[in-house]
Amino acid sequence: MLKLAVFGSGSGSNYQAIAEAIAADRLHAQIVCVFSDVQDAFILERARKLGHPAIFLDCAPFKTKLDGQAEARAIELIRRHGGNFIVLAGFMRIIKQGLLDAFPKRIVNIHPSLLPAFPGLEAGQQALTAGVKETGCTVHLVDGGIDTGPILVQRKVTIQPDDTIQTLMTRIHAQEHIAYPEALQKIATQMA
Ligand code: GRF
């Protein structure tokens, strides 16, 4: 059984979509805990409402990575809650070797572009600036790089001539909410 520890820094709409897919029996998994490196992130509020352990992970002194004591604490808490798989859902920190070694090939991420195109920050804006006709989202296994690692699911979004960053991101998000449960169910099926 997939027992998910979810990590997010912001709104948590992907986390919510995963929780809804589980409730609707479209995804055979369980969410065992939710972490955020941002104390007042909405994802923690959503977790409290949905009845999942909501954990603030103080990642200081690091600004852009999950390392050191915070990484060790995360590993300990995931294990304590029975987690066996990590879902990064808008987690704005780089995952380091300690967590990768603790959960080998068991960490996934979602990114708002058709990787390998437009990795890193502001992927939607990168696509608009590049003037491409199509972008989308990607669920992939996490390795040591930034938005690299084997791709599990991609969903496309057509860019309209009158798209703003807001209208485009709204449509990408809608596809993410389908892609993430789908990718996790693929993994659940492989594990069964
Ligand atoms: C998503 O666009 C995801 O692709 C990116 O961060 C965003 C998280 O959104 N990694 P939410 O917090 O799940 O609403």
Side-chain angles (χ1 to χ4, degrees):
M1 174 78 151
L2 266 188
K3 297 201 174 189
L4 310 175
V6 182
F7 283 69
S9 305
S11 157
S13 70
N14 279 285
Y15 152 63
Q16 177 107 30
I18 291 165
E20 284 170 9
I22 292 172
D25 224 16
R26 279 183 284 118
L27 169 57
H28 301 130
Q30 202 184 322
I31 295 171
V32 298
C33 53
V34 177
F35 290 94
S36 183
D37 58 325
V38 178
Q39 196 154 19
D40 60 354
F42 193 53
I43 189 170
L44 291 180
E45 205 169 313
R46 290 190 202 255
R48 286 187 284 266
K49 271 200 194 118
L50 290 173
H52 296 136
I55 303 161
F56 165 58
L57 194 60
D58 186 351
C59 293
F62 306 112
K63 290 206 164 71
T64 58
K65 61 180 180 176
L66 173 58
D67 207 350
Q69 281 185 6
E71 183 191 64
R73 181 165 177 252
I75 293 168
E76 196 217 308
L77 286 171
I78 294 166
R79 296 216 165 109
R80 200 188 297 166
H81 285 94
N84 60 16
F85 202 90
I86 297 175
V87 172
L88 305 180
F91 189 60
M92 300 304 287
R93 283 176 184 268
I94 297 161
I95 299 303
K96 304 304 287 184
Q97 206 56 42
L99 197 64
L100 291 167
D101 287 345
F103 295 92
K105 298 203 174 84
R106 283 176 166 254
I107 308 179
V108 286
N109 181 42
I110 190 157
H111 182 76
S113 77
L114 297 174
L115 291 171
F118 312 127
L121 296 175
E122 314 271 342
Q125 189 55 53
Q126 289 187 53
L128 283 180
T129 306
V132 294
K133 296 204 161 51
E134 192 174 72
T135 184
C137 63
T138 303
V139 181
H140 65 94
L141 281 176
V142 174
D143 61 13
I146 294 179
D147 301 323
T148 55
I151 290 171
L152 299 169
V153 168
Q154 291 192 305
R155 292 185 72 89
K156 292 177 179 168
V157 171
T158 304
I159 299 184
Q160 308 294 345
D162 60 350
D163 258 330
T164 63
I165 187 63
Q166 285 79 16
T167 59
L168 177 60
M169 290 316 293
T170 300
R171 293 208 308 292
I172 293 177
H173 265 117
Q175 293 307 310
E176 288 186 335
H177 299 161
I178 301 169
Y180 226 158
E182 188 183 318
L184 292 170
Q185 182 51 31
K186 262 194 184 181
I187 295 162
T189 308
Q190 283 165 13
M191 273 174 69

